[in-house]
Amino acid sequence: QALEAAELNVKVSTNDYTPEQTQREARTGLENAQRALNTATRKALTQTRDGFRSAQDALEGAAVASKARDTAQRTLQNDGVRLQNGLIARVELESSQLTALKARQQAAQANNAYLRALAALSLASGLDVTGLRGN
């Protein structure tokens, strides 16, 4: 809008009745508006690009945390069987339980980080990419 206003100001002031100083000021205002638009455009593109990279990284982190959670859960199940068969002590099973709980928490945190990265990307791009939007 600032650019359009500056263009209109130049157009209106370009005539034989407007002082040269006013015409120069209008042209300077137009150049400044063009620079401001270019700066804002570059900033928006950079923010969108950075948001996309962050979302990709967070998605990879969520995938890794999900696999770690699944592995910890399988280990816990195996240790339950090993305890029943007398192959490990109760404390080892409890250690596996703790590991599984931590892995679940880390997976939840990673998923949260991914959703937050999508929200940031949505803000940067002006489009809802979260998939959380209601009907």
Side-chain angles (χ1 to χ4, degrees):
Q1 289 176 340
L3 181 61
E4 290 175 4
E7 287 172 340
L8 181 60
N9 195 19
V10 168
K11 186 176 180 180
V12 168
S13 68
T14 305
N15 57 51
D16 293 335
Y17 307 106
T18 303
E20 182 62 32
Q21 176 64 30
T22 303
Q23 291 179 13
R24 278 194 305 270
E25 289 172 358
R27 287 190 298 271
T28 299
L30 176 60
E31 290 170 5
N32 289 339
Q34 287 170 330
R35 278 193 292 275
L37 177 61
N38 289 339
T39 299
T41 301
R42 281 192 309 273
K43 182 179 176 183
L45 288 172
T46 298
Q47 287 175 332
T48 302
R49 197 173 317 127
D50 290 347
F52 182 72
R53 284 190 201 121
S54 293
Q56 283 181 316
D57 291 345
L59 179 60
E60 289 176 21
V64 168
S66 178
K67 287 179 183 178
R69 180 197 60 216
D70 294 344
T71 300
Q73 188 60 39
R74 280 193 303 275
T75 300
L76 176 60
Q77 290 170 345
N78 290 341
D79 283 352
V81 172
R82 291 173 61 206
L83 177 67
Q84 289 175 352
N85 292 330
L87 299 174
I88 63 172
R90 178 86 181 145
V91 71
E92 291 178 71
L93 177 66
E94 290 172 355
S95 176
S96 290
Q97 289 171 333
L98 181 59
T99 300
L101 287 172
K102 285 181 182 179
R104 275 187 257 161
Q105 179 186 15
Q106 290 169 347
Q109 288 172 333
N111 285 332
N112 181 46
Y114 176 59
L115 291 175
R116 291 173 64 92
L118 286 179
L121 177 58
S122 294
L123 287 174
S125 68
L127 300 170
D128 180 15
V129 296
T130 63
L132 300 175
R133 194 172 186 196
N135 292 330

